Amino acid sequence: MDTIFALATAQGRAGVAVIRISGPQSKAVAQKLCGSLPEARRATTRRLHDEDGLVLDHVLVLMFEAPASFTGEDVVEFHLHGSIAVVAAVLRELGKGQARMAEPGEFTRRALENNKMDLAQVEGLGDLIEAETEAQRKQALRTVSGELGARIERWRSHLIRAASLIEVTIDFADEEVPVDVTPEVQDLLTRVTDDISDQLKGFAAAERIRTGFEVAIVGPPNAGKSTLLNALARRDAAITSATAGTTRDVIEVRMDLEGLPVTLLDTAGLREAADDIEAEGISRAVARANASDLRIFLMEPDDTLEVDIQKGDVVRAPKADSRKDEALAVSGLTGQGVDTLVAEVTASLLDRSQNAGLATHERHRAAMTAALTTLKSACSLIGAGPDHYDIAAEELRVAIRSLEAVVGRVDVENLLDEIFSSFCLGK
């Protein structure tokens, strides 16, 4: 196994930069620069020298002995002054020795291979690094802490118990089995299928927390959609004009609403298009609005639009600053009604996120759906009697393998390159 090193903190100037070394030669590689290492897990200052004896930096050194480290290997960390020149000099000196520069995600991959993390935790770590909002941070931490893995392990143990009971019945088919195992098997399968079903119901909300909710502002031309978007974004994200049809393409603005990641979409005004370009803009507006999680309609009570109002959507009359009626309205120009609008949108999205499950990636959903399908088949086969137990046992084995794929207990080599490619070098 190679010894690897990389900058574990962000590129560029910083108060402190961390360089991590991991592998069988990590102690020797580090000692070549700092002379001697401190006791494990005891931070100590050292001077780093190059091969000519010149001082590179005065650093803090931490050493973690295998297997009690992030990667499960011997690990040494240099906490440097965050100068671009200092970091470059230390990395250059490390490259002259027995270590090589780490590939993207290689530290985390070694943690997986050394059973320090499961595959779901690895993905959770990636999500935590990418987290921009409080809801994303909390959700990623749940995965990193192993909640999904623990749930999978409980399902797996129940299914192994059920399969073993069935196998006993098959093995002793010619003899009198003293106890009918069918009730216990069915109870175990029911508990697992119900729990998986509940988690799958919460997948959509969990995925949206990870990737972000989409909220489209929809209405006819000159309803004030772009002005409202600018008011919500608190900057001039969209061009506003009294000329109808100014917005031709979908304009996106990323926001944080009570910790939830939200992308606001300013769409083209919905009307009979005046030219081909506007027609394309309207077509895109309708498509994105229909695919959004929630829509804000700026429209008069008698307006008819191509996009239908759905449950949970927010409807407001436009241009509250110039209206004389009692309609519930909003004005992006003056801010009238904006706070109430934001509160209503936020409450709706928070309500949807309450039922978020532990599965956050499409890979999780697909594996759990496959397991659920085979479990339902196994339940039907068990109910059909002992003559079908051999097929039911195989269905249970397939379900177990599907669930194990979520945490990487089976051969998932084809997934690893894709998963780790999004990690930075120091992870």
Side-chain angles (χ1 to χ4, degrees):
M1 180 69 72
D2 293 344
T3 297
I4 58 175
F5 68 90
L7 178 66
T9 47
Q11 296 279 352
R13 293 184 181 87
V16 176
V18 178
I19 291 177
R20 175 181 292 159
I21 311 167
S22 180
Q25 299 299 319
S26 59
K27 291 181 183 179
V29 170
Q31 285 174 335
K32 186 177 179 182
L33 271 71
C34 65
S36 64
L37 293 175
E39 298 176 21
R41 299 178 176 274
R42 180 169 182 150
T44 307
T45 57
R46 291 284 190 275
R47 291 186 186 278
L48 300 187
H49 298 82
D50 65 15
E51 59 185 358
D52 297 323
L54 298 176
V55 176
L56 297 173
D57 194 20
H58 192 198
V59 307
L60 191 72
V61 181
L62 271 170
M63 193 258 291
F64 305 88
E65 291 185 328
S69 71
F70 173 72
T71 61
E73 305 170 332
D74 287 340
V75 171
V76 179
E77 290 183 354
F78 293 147
H79 294 234
L80 323 163
H81 293 97
S83 157
I84 295 174
V86 168
V87 170
V90 174
L91 290 175
R92 186 167 55 248
E93 201 63 28
L94 284 170
K96 297 177 181 178
Q98 304 172 60
R100 63 168 174 80
M101 183 71 76
E103 297 175 0
E106 191 169 2
F107 289 96
T108 307
R109 186 162 185 163
R110 292 190 178 193
L112 174 68
E113 292 169 347
N114 292 324
N115 296 317
K116 305 297 290 186
M117 307 177 76
D118 63 41
L119 194 55
Q121 287 177 295
V122 167
E123 291 169 311
L125 178 58
D127 293 341
L128 184 61
I129 293 170
E130 297 294 327
E132 297 177 341
T133 70
E134 183 66 5
Q136 290 176 322
R137 181 189 69 82
K138 289 180 177 178
Q139 178 169 273
L141 277 176
R142 291 177 68 191
T143 309
V144 172
S145 66
E147 283 191 43
L148 179 57
R151 189 70 63 98
I152 295 289
E153 182 57 35
R154 185 164 73 245
W155 296 338
R156 181 176 175 273
S157 64
H158 287 337
L159 296 182
I160 289 175
R161 169 67 178 171
S164 64
L165 291 172
I166 294 174
E167 294 285 0
V168 167
T169 304
I170 296 171
D171 291 342
F172 295 93
D174 296 332
E175 303 178 24
E176 188 70 25
V177 179
V179 178
D180 182 11
V181 301
T182 304
E184 182 178 356
V185 170
Q186 289 180 328
D187 178 63
L188 289 168
L189 298 188
T190 298
R191 287 157 62 185
V192 174
T193 54
D194 288 348
D195 205 3
I196 293 177
S197 295
D198 288 341
Q199 287 299 318
L200 288 173
K201 289 177 183 176
F203 170 74
E207 185 185 39
R208 277 312 194 198
I209 291 174
R210 185 175 70 84
T211 62
F213 291 91
E214 284 197 348
V215 176
I217 304 175
V218 183
N222 272 349
K225 299 184 297 300
S226 298
T227 303
L228 177 60
L229 178 81
N230 292 341
L232 294 171
R234 297 184 179 180
R235 63 184 177 87
D236 291 336
I239 298 173
T240 59
S241 168
T243 303
T246 299
T247 301
R248 297 297 183 98
D249 206 349
V250 177
I251 298 172
E252 303 183 5
V253 172
R254 191 78 167 180
M255 292 184 64
D256 180 338
L257 296 182
E258 295 292 328
L260 294 177
V262 176
T263 300
L264 280 175
L265 309 176
D266 178 23
T267 61
L270 303 183
R271 66 171 183 177
E272 189 71 30
D275 53 55
D276 291 342
I277 297 177
E278 186 181 8
E280 178 62 24
I282 292 173
S283 176
R284 294 185 183 188
V286 171
R288 290 296 296 274
N290 286 329
S292 295
D293 301 286
L294 184 148
R295 285 144 293 276
I296 299 172
F297 285 89
L298 289 183
M299 55 188 294
E300 299 292 347
D302 56 349
D303 282 341
T304 300
L305 304 177
E306 293 182 56
V307 180
D308 295 330
I309 299 174
Q310 302 177 25
K311 182 181 179 180
D313 288 345
V314 177
V315 182
R316 291 290 190 275
K319 302 180 180 179
D321 53 302
S322 61
R323 301 186 71 89
K324 303 300 182 181
D325 56 21
E326 299 297 321
L328 185 60
V330 66
S331 171
L333 186 63
T334 65
Q336 183 179 339
V338 170
D339 289 344
T340 303
L341 173 67
V342 171
E344 188 173 340
V345 170
T346 303
S348 178
L349 296 179
L350 284 172
D351 182 63
R352 300 182 192 195
S353 67
Q354 293 302 311
N355 297 321
L358 294 172
T360 56
H361 288 250
E362 173 59 25
R363 187 181 69 82
H364 305 165
R365 187 203 64 78
M368 289 164 62
T369 300
L372 185 63
T373 300
T374 53
L375 286 178
K376 289 179 177 179
S377 175
C379 287
S380 299
L381 290 165
I382 291 168
D387 290 344
H388 299 82
Y389 280 4
D390 55 342
I391 303 177
E394 178 57 29
E395 291 285 69
L396 289 182
R397 286 190 286 270
V398 172
I400 291 170
R401 288 195 293 270
S402 294
L403 294 176
E404 287 176 336
V406 176
V407 293
R409 283 200 173 194
V410 295
D411 183 16
V412 290
E413 191 66 26
N414 58 323
L415 296 173
L416 296 183
D417 289 339
E418 180 178 351
I419 290 172
F420 289 115
S421 65
S422 63
F423 278 63
C424 61
L425 294 179
K427 270 296 178 186

